[in-house]
Amino acid sequence: MMEAPVVNVGILTEKAVTFILNGDFIHTQTGHDLSGVQHVLWVDGQIVFNGRLYQELFFEPVSQDASFDLKAVTIGVHFHWQRNEDQRFRGSLYMRTSPEGIVTINQIDVEEYLTSVISSEMSAEASLELLQAHAVISRSWLLAQMEKRIQVDQDDRKYQSLYCDNEQLIRWYDREDHTLFDVCADDHCQRYQGITRASTPKVQEAIRKTRGEILTYDGEICDARFSKSCGGVTERFENCWEPVPHPYLTTLRDSRESGFPDLRIEAEAERWIRTAPEAFCNTHDPAILGQVLNNYDQETTDFYRWKVEYTQAQLAELIHRKTQINFGEITDLIPLERGTSGRIVKLKIVGTRRTYIIGKELEIRRTLSETHLYSSAFVVDKEGETADGIPQRFCLTGAGWGHGVGLCQIGAAVMGAKGYGYQEILTHYFPGAAIERRY
Ligand SMILES: [Zn+2]
Ligand SMILES: [Zn+2]
């Protein structure tokens, strides 16, 4: 069996790091055997370790069962649940200096990394087929990140991700790439906590059964996106991010049926969103939803179709705060452009003081909710209009959860439960893509 590649995962950047070597490690620069508690300090751009100065430090495990602990790692950076935690890792420990401090990197076998990531991202209730499909997607994403770092900016088609003037703000959000390592350990990339938490036997099995498998299209690794629920039809890549079509991130009906209306047409979108057509992701089954939603508490099962209501005062205040633009009272929300899943790409906000256009989907979802609206596939009902035409209530009826591009997680969970194999799940959501084994 060919060996899996090694991934460089950036865990933290700090001015001082305390770590514990459990078992024997070799400090490769000095050839010394080391174990137990160690401290490093960042001083004037150099790393101080045991009284000597270094630009980088490398600790390699000597035995199979050796691990190392990093003290007080911040997890959930910028999220409401941010906290510090000691974390345990297998593989090698690599530290290098940077202008911000000591960058601490874990070098680890790709398959071990994936076992950890899928164990913390997916529910323990998930079916084997769903886990296998996810393993292939995560591996594709990971190998693509590793390739990208090797190619170092030979890609000159950089698109501006923000257009802003007096009439409109059109922006999309994509991850910035890292330069000192392949992926970070936080939600920005995929949450990775080493072996701090035990991996589940089912995840280990899913990783083992798909070892080395990735999705490719025309020989290139697929940018395999996924979201919670497409809402019945998936969205095209370019309607959410930069204007580069990916043939395997196209629009398709999330069902055995293939025909569907052109949801870019307002009347068709309206009819589609106000009804709940049959689809793999059209489910209220808590057992299925629990496979995809970690710690699912069943407060709602309304993800396929949902409703959100605001009073005039609530909506006007929310939009003012989010956009930093005073619209006065809101008189209308008008979809100007919809994507192929019915998601609004450009929304016109009409107020008594001014009018402004926002997009793409994530900007719209952030503007119309304290956190994120489930999706931008919605229709608007205005209620209780005053004599001068000011609605007193706005009711949004929507479809799906997330950007809707690529694999639909709730749909994939249903497919898994219905007996579809992981290859069928993947080729359903990524048409034309091949499953290729790299090692
Ligand atoms: Zn990252
Ligand atoms: Zn779906």
Side-chain angles (χ1 to χ4, degrees):
M1 189 157 46
M2 246 170 91
E3 252 182 69
V6 167
V7 59
N8 287 274
V9 191
I11 311 293
L12 49 82
T13 301
E14 296 285 348
K15 298 267 156 67
V17 182
T18 296
F19 57 99
I20 303 168
L21 301 173
N22 309 302
D24 286 337
F25 279 76
I26 285 189
H27 174 218
T28 54
Q29 285 104 329
T30 58
H32 291 160
D33 274 346
L34 283 174
S35 61
V37 182
Q38 318 288 332
H39 304 280
V40 290
L41 258 182
W42 183 89
V43 178
D44 292 336
Q46 304 211 70
I47 304 172
V48 183
F49 176 59
N50 284 344
R52 285 178 60 180
L53 294 173
Y54 296 90
Q55 289 296 311
E56 56 181 8
L57 290 166
F58 194 75
F59 302 95
E60 210 175 340
V62 175
S63 57
Q64 261 294 316
D65 58 345
S67 66
F68 64 89
D69 294 356
L70 289 174
K71 306 297 281 180
V73 179
T74 305
I75 60 172
V77 179
H78 306 315
F79 284 87
H80 61 93
W81 44 270
Q82 178 171 332
R83 64 179 185 274
N84 289 325
E85 208 180 81
D86 294 353
Q87 307 236 305
R88 177 164 292 182
F89 302 89
R90 254 208 278 275
S92 303
L93 171 60
Y94 174 52
M95 296 172 142
R96 56 173 291 170
T97 183
S98 80
E100 290 77 40
I102 301 164
V103 182
T104 300
I105 295 164
N106 181 202
Q107 295 189 337
I108 179 87
D109 176 287
V110 160
E111 299 298 303
E112 275 200 65
Y113 166 85
L114 290 171
T115 306
S116 167
V117 162
I118 304 229
S119 294
S120 53
E121 241 169 46
M122 298 292 291
S123 159
E125 313 303 318
S127 71
L128 186 60
E129 297 299 333
L130 178 62
L131 289 173
Q132 283 179 268
H134 244 286
V136 176
I137 292 176
S138 293
R139 192 180 291 103
S140 304
W141 172 83
L142 182 65
L143 295 195
Q145 301 313 309
M146 293 165 64
E147 260 193 14
K148 236 190 232 175
R149 210 159 72 87
I150 295 165
Q151 290 167 352
V152 204
D153 279 41
Q154 55 162 241
D155 188 8
D156 45 33
R157 305 163 309 167
K158 283 274 180 244
Y159 287 90
Q160 200 184 347
S161 62
L162 174 71
Y163 302 94
C164 180
D165 59 27
N166 278 336
E167 271 85 52
Q168 61 174 348
L169 167 70
I170 304 299
R171 136 162 72 178
W172 63 89
Y173 299 82
D174 217 337
R175 37 180 309 286
E176 304 265 309
D177 296 326
H178 299 294
T179 52
L180 297 182
F181 41 82
D182 302 309
V183 292
C184 71
D186 226 308
D187 296 77
H188 171 264
C189 287
Q190 298 194 64
R191 198 185 312 165
Y192 170 65
Q193 301 173 292
I195 51 168
T196 311
R197 275 167 199 77
S199 56
T200 64
K202 218 192 240 176
V203 170
Q204 291 166 6
E205 188 183 350
I207 299 290
R208 197 173 57 241
K209 285 189 157 163
T210 61
R211 183 186 163 83
E213 289 182 1
I214 56 168
L215 281 177
T216 62
Y217 188 91
D218 264 354
E220 282 196 24
I221 304 178
C222 292
D223 187 351
R225 309 266 165 159
F226 60 90
S227 68
K228 285 280 187 288
S229 166
C230 68
V233 171
T234 66
E235 188 54 72
R236 279 189 212 276
F237 176 85
E238 59 269 35
N239 292 329
C240 296
W241 294 286
E242 75 255 26
V244 184
H246 293 45
Y248 55 89
L249 296 177
T250 181
T251 187
L252 56 92
R253 178 89 160 84
D254 193 11
S255 164
R256 245 169 314 205
E257 290 172 29
S258 51
F260 59 94
D262 187 346
L263 302 179
R264 293 171 299 183
I265 299 165
E266 194 56 33
E268 297 286 6
E270 177 114 18
R271 194 174 311 132
W272 181 259
I273 293 167
R274 287 193 196 282
T275 54
E278 181 275 329
F280 287 127
C281 55
N282 182 358
T283 180
H284 291 268
D285 182 349
I288 294 281
L289 297 171
Q291 288 193 24
V292 174
L293 312 173
N294 237 335
N295 307 318
Y296 175 51
D297 54 15
Q298 292 179 36
E299 246 173 54
T300 175
T301 58
D302 300 338
F303 305 113
Y304 189 66
R305 293 292 180 268
W306 46 263
K307 273 187 199 304
V308 172
E309 285 187 32
Y310 293 115
T311 63
Q312 170 64 240
Q314 282 170 335
L315 187 66
E317 190 279 329
L318 181 67
I319 294 177
H320 186 177
R321 178 155 44 87
K322 292 284 186 147
T323 58
Q324 298 293 309
I325 295 171
N326 185 359
F327 287 84
E329 289 178 293
I330 305 295
T331 54
D332 213 346
L333 299 172
I334 305 169
L336 295 184
E337 185 186 332
R338 286 185 190 268
T340 49
S341 71
R343 281 170 175 76
I344 301 172
V345 177
K346 279 186 188 172
L347 179 76
K348 188 175 180 177
I349 302 174
V350 185
T352 48
R353 295 170 67 114
R354 69 168 297 175
T355 293
Y356 198 63
I357 296 165
I358 60 168
K360 298 183 177 183
E361 61 93 29
L362 191 54
E363 190 68 21
I364 295 169
R365 290 165 60 200
R366 287 182 175 179
T367 302
L368 297 183
S369 163
E370 289 295 339
T371 51
H372 293 82
L373 210 56
Y374 276 135
S375 84
S376 73
F378 58 82
V379 289
V380 181
D381 291 300
K382 298 174 286 177
E383 289 158 14
E385 277 187 36
T386 59
D388 44 0
I390 312 286
Q392 292 311 292
R393 295 189 71 80
F394 286 83
C395 178
L396 311 188
T397 301
W401 183 2
H403 51 67
V405 177
L407 181 135
C408 168
Q409 289 179 300
I410 293 175
V414 170
M415 288 183 79
K418 286 192 167 169
Y420 287 87
Y422 80 98
Q423 285 132 327
E424 288 175 288
I425 296 175
L426 290 170
T427 50
H428 168 64
Y429 290 110
F430 303 97
I435 300 171
E436 197 182 298
R437 190 160 181 177
R438 286 285 168 105
Y439 49 85

